[in-house]
Amino acid sequence: MTEADVTTAVTAVEGPRAHERAVAIRSLFRALKHTKLVFADPTRGLRTTRQELLPTTLAPDRLAGLLETSSNPATRLVLALVALHATSGTDLRSLVLADVLLTRPQLLIRRPHGRHVVHLDDTTDALLHAWLRYRHQRWPRTVNAHFLVTQQTASATDPVSADYVYRRFDPAGLTLRAVLADRILDEARETEDPVHLVRVFGISITTAMKYIHAAHPHRAGPVPH
């Protein structure tokens, strides 16, 4: 395979797929060269730019009745925290009981780059208390300090799996990432101030600017990378 062959293979697709294909081909030839099965690397001069995808919104009717898709207290709380407060799957799995500030009502999200306080609305606060009551009734002797527990984790100290969190959205035919993005984008439509998004959701200024750009495409300037 020559450099021209590599270029042809990569440019046969567009967007993120082109980037993914370039990375795959480059990794393949690096492995082959490392094992001395090839001596020339045709990907050496390959340059690709990863396309940054702007967030897109969900149709309003897909979010309507989201909480009605489940009667499970944990599921309903997860749906509310993501749909109303854009809480990520990582945030949900990392929460511990000590992060619940019942007298406020608030949740403390601990992230590598700092802390973010979620100010709960009445609906989410009610769902939170319903989950805590259910949690205590179902597993009164659990030593697991994580906020979310399951039958599998109640007898251990591990967080729930990522798959557990993401599957809460399956009955609604949605994904956690899509619902989270929809919430931030909805807020971005109400403001052109990225700092507001940073304060409300605890996201980075770069991420906030991408949502502002998506909500207000008339704004001058490129999407930040």
Side-chain angles (χ1 to χ4, degrees):
M1 180 178 278
T2 65
E3 289 187 17
D5 294 328
V6 171
T7 301
T8 299
V10 172
T11 56
V13 293
E14 298 179 350
R17 291 182 61 200
H19 176 80
E20 292 168 1
R21 182 171 293 187
V23 171
I25 295 175
R26 185 183 289 118
S27 298
L28 172 63
F29 274 95
R30 283 178 179 172
L32 291 173
K33 191 171 183 181
H34 180 73
T35 56
K36 298 183 179 180
L37 292 176
V38 298
F39 297 97
D41 182 358
T43 68
R44 194 170 188 177
L46 185 64
R47 296 289 182 271
T48 62
T49 301
R50 183 165 190 164
Q51 180 179 349
E52 294 290 341
L53 299 180
L54 291 174
T56 56
T57 187
L58 296 173
D61 60 341
R62 297 196 71 193
L63 282 179
L66 180 61
L67 293 180
E68 302 307 318
T69 61
S70 176
S71 59
N72 180 275
T75 297
R76 288 169 61 82
L77 178 58
V78 167
L79 295 176
L81 284 171
V82 176
L84 299 177
H85 301 281
T87 310
S88 73
T90 300
D91 291 338
L92 290 167
R93 296 180 64 230
S94 300
L95 277 171
V96 296
L97 290 173
D99 296 330
V100 182
L101 311 178
L102 295 175
T103 59
R104 303 294 174 90
Q106 296 173 348
L107 281 180
L108 179 61
I109 305 294
R110 304 173 193 272
R111 295 170 177 163
H113 56 275
R115 298 181 177 185
H116 171 61
V117 176
V118 177
H119 300 274
L120 302 177
D121 60 289
D122 292 341
T123 297
T124 309
D125 187 44
L127 292 171
L128 181 146
H129 281 81
W131 161 243
L132 289 178
R133 288 193 297 271
Y134 178 88
R135 184 186 190 279
H136 178 70
Q137 292 168 2
R138 183 74 183 274
W139 302 289
R141 295 183 178 83
T142 180
V143 296
N144 195 326
H146 286 91
F147 182 60
L148 293 175
V149 294
T150 65
Q151 186 65 37
Q152 290 70 38
T153 66
S155 59
T157 58
D158 301 321
V160 296
S161 68
D163 186 57
Y164 169 84
V165 175
Y166 288 117
R167 282 191 291 108
R168 301 307 95 195
F169 293 82
D170 288 351
L174 301 170
T175 66
L176 184 152
R177 290 186 179 90
V179 174
L180 184 152
D182 180 82
R183 175 64 187 96
I184 302 177
L185 188 57
D186 182 66
E187 190 74 21
R189 292 195 189 95
E190 301 299 321
T191 180
E192 294 194 25
D193 181 9
V195 176
H196 173 74
L197 299 185
V198 172
R199 290 172 177 168
V200 172
F201 302 115
I203 57 179
S204 69
I205 191 67
T206 300
T207 300
M209 283 299 300
K210 291 177 182 178
Y211 279 97
I212 293 295
H213 182 93
H216 306 281
H218 62 278
R219 284 176 63 97
V223 181
H225 294 283

